[in-house]
């Protein structure tokens, strides 16, 4: 039996997911990636194309992974989409697209993998966002989807205590990717050139931090500066001061 470890990363064609494939390939893991694209990047040893907002394609992806490639040692449920529109201007169909990928895909993929575990250990890492922890203008649907998946994962973590399975939650702050360009705007289209600049941690640094997190027993990992972590504590302890300061930010 091969001792090479296998990772499955969703949303692996670019951004954080691609950074994870690169990082784990360097570590000698067998990398399996997924996204809507038919062909994956060179960093993927295997590619499972799937639109993970579609329930039938989610099932097919899990079957392809477990039947054709083998049981994964680590699954990073990273595929996600942003949404940038005022709550009052948000179409229900757009909010549903966001929830389908950001919430239902991790929920359903985890359930299907757990059903197929047959005594094997399952280690799932869910990529949420610090946006799950406070409200921001034009991010209501995105933040709600990330908050929903975070609390779902926290609940699963309780259910899995004492079992062979593990789940961990990652809350990245701003990471330099094209997520804003891909975000759905109020017209239902990707923002593209209308997106503002989005600069933060590099994907390499983020991938390293995620990999470090998987080697700990801790459930939640916030990938952000001490200043941002302090702001999140301030939000929980004294939201009124937090929001006064947030509104002053340029
Ligand atoms: N960047 C940040 O600042 C930041 C901060 C906090 C949290 N996050 C979270 O981190 C994750 C990755 O974000 P990112 O910044 O790397 O975003 P990104 O650069 O926009 O990449 C998103 C990835 O998801 C895939 N994807 C999109 N729709 C999909 C679908 N329907 N089915 C399957 N795959 C799909 C995309 O591939 P295709 O287009 O090829 O399908 C791409 O590989 C997301 O969950 C995001 O919410 C990001």
């Amino acid at each position: 039996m091969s001792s090479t470890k296998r990772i499955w990363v969703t949303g692996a064609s670019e951004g954080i997911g691609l950074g994870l494939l690169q990082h784990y390939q360097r570590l000698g893991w067998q990398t399996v990636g997924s996204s809507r694209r038919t062909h994956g990047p060179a960093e993927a040893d295997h590619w499972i194309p799937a639109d993970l907002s579609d329930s039938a394609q989610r099932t097919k992806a899990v079957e392809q992974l477990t039947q054709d490639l083998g049981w994964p040692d680590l699954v990073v449920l990273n595929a996600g989409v942003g949404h940038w529109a005022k709550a009052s201007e948000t179409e229900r169909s757009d909010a549903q697209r966001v929830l389908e990928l950001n919430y239902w895909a991790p929920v359903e993929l985890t359930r299907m993998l757990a059903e197929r575990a047959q005594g094997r250990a399952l280690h799932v890492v869910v990529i949420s966002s610090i946006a799950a922890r406070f409200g921001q203008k034009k991010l209501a649907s995105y933040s709600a989807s990330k908050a929903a998946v975070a609390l779902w994962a926290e609940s699963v973590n309780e259910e899995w205590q004492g079992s062979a399975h593990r789940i961990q939650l990652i809350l990245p702050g701003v990471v330099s990717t094209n997520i804003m360009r891909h975000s759905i705007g109020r017209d239902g289209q990707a923002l593209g050139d209308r997106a503002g600049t989005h600069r933060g941690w590099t994907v390499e640094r983020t991938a390293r931090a995620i990999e470090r997190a998987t080697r700990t027993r801790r459930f939640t990992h916030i990938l952000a500066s001490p200043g941002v972590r302090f702001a999140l504590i301030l939000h929980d302890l004294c939201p009124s001061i937090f929001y006064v300061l947030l509104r002053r930010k340029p």
Side-chain angles (χ1 to χ4, degrees), residues 141-152:
S141 296
Y142 176 72
S143 298
S145 71
K146 291 296 183 179
V149 81
L151 202 51
W152 167 83

Side-chain angles (χ1 to χ4, degrees), residues 220-231:
T220 308
H221 295 261
I222 298 169
L223 310 187
S225 67
V228 170
R229 287 151 186 269
F230 176 75

Side-chain angles (χ1 to χ4, degrees), residues 157-184:
N157 188 40
E158 288 309 298
E159 291 182 11
W160 283 1
Q161 290 303 306
S163 81
H165 299 337
R166 290 189 62 201
I167 189 162
Q168 292 180 293
L169 179 69
I170 307 285
L171 307 177
V174 180
V175 182
S176 300
T177 68
N178 281 326
I179 189 168
M180 281 305 285
R181 295 179 62 83
H182 300 147
S183 289
I184 301 168

Side-chain angles (χ1 to χ4, degrees), residues 110-172:
T110 303
R111 185 183 55 75
M112 286 187 279
L113 285 164
E115 277 169 5
R116 287 161 176 76
Q118 294 169 338
R120 294 168 295 197
L122 176 61
H123 186 175
V124 173
V125 172
V126 174
I127 308 296
S128 173
S129 166
I130 60 161
R133 299 282 294 269
F134 60 100
Q136 294 171 88
K137 284 184 217 165
K138 297 193 178 181
L139 281 172
S141 296
Y142 176 72
S143 298
S145 71
K146 291 296 183 179
V149 81
L151 202 51
W152 167 83
E154 207 167 310
S155 310
V156 172
N157 188 40
E158 288 309 298
E159 291 182 11
W160 283 1
Q161 290 303 306
S163 81
H165 299 337
R166 290 189 62 201
I167 189 162
Q168 292 180 293
L169 179 69
I170 307 285
L171 307 177

Side-chain angles (χ1 to χ4, degrees), residues 85-98:
K86 284 185 184 173
S88 58
E89 295 172 343
T90 296
E91 297 293 338
R92 184 189 160 98
S93 55
D94 292 335
Q96 271 173 339
R97 279 167 66 194
V98 173

Side-chain angles (χ1 to χ4, degrees), residues 66-94:
T66 53
Q67 289 169 14
D68 301 354
L69 299 173
W71 191 247
D73 297 279
L74 182 64
V75 175
V76 185
L77 300 174
N78 163 76
V81 65
H83 185 253
W84 184 251
K86 284 185 184 173
S88 58
E89 295 172 343
T90 296
E91 297 293 338
R92 184 189 160 98
S93 55
D94 292 335

Side-chain angles (χ1 to χ4, degrees), residues 13 16 35-37 51-52 78 142 146 173 175 177 182 198:
S13 60
I16 296 171
S35 89
R36 290 167 298 183
R37 293 180 209 180
D51 180 344
L52 295 172
N78 163 76
Y142 176 72
K146 291 296 183 179
V175 182
T177 68
H182 300 147
H198 189 75

